[in-house]
Amino acid sequence: MKKGTFWLNENKNGGVSIGIEDYEVEAFGGCDYEWIYTFDTANTLKLIATLSANNSGSLEQMITEEFGIHLDKKSMKMWLDQNDIKYEFNSWVH
């Protein structure tokens, strides 16, 4: 498997989307796996505030510090759930 690096998009509504794509994933028969977390404005602000308690810099820098460039340093889902940050999650294999 080749790990991708995460990307961050600011949405028009004030929210953000954070996603990543891993390539040639053995668990999916060599297909690519992509997933995206989408946050509304209120939860984007909560994400920033919660991350800034232990990290500094831009949102992208704080995500890198907390979760790593491949989002594999710790479980983002578990962290979001523990901090009661709401999100929409989508994933697909292609």
Side-chain angles (χ1 to χ4, degrees):
M1 175 176 76
K2 294 160 74 177
K3 292 185 177 204
T5 56
F6 82 89
W7 50 264
L8 173 73
N9 281 339
E10 295 181 16
N11 301 323
K12 293 178 186 177
N13 67 0
V16 297
S17 296
I18 301 167
I20 195 163
E21 184 171 2
D22 290 330
Y23 307 93
E24 302 171 9
V25 180
E26 295 85 9
F28 297 114
C31 292
D32 299 339
Y33 176 64
E34 185 172 355
W35 47 266
I36 299 172
Y37 289 98
T38 303
F39 305 88
D40 64 15
T41 304
N43 283 287
T44 296
L45 294 173
K46 191 171 184 179
L47 173 67
I48 293 167
T50 306
L51 282 170
S52 65
N54 296 316
N55 302 284
S56 61
S58 68
L59 178 54
E60 189 170 358
Q61 290 168 326
M62 291 191 291
I63 291 168
T64 301
E65 286 180 36
E66 191 73 29
F67 303 105
I69 194 73
H70 305 294
L71 302 180
D72 60 355
K73 190 173 173 182
K74 68 167 80 168
S75 170
M76 182 176 244
K77 180 189 179 329
M78 287 178 61
W79 185 90
L80 292 168
D81 292 345
Q82 289 170 346
N83 287 286
D84 196 33
I85 300 171
K86 306 297 181 211
Y87 56 88
E88 181 180 316
F89 180 80
N90 290 296
S91 67
W92 53 93
V93 175
H94 54 94

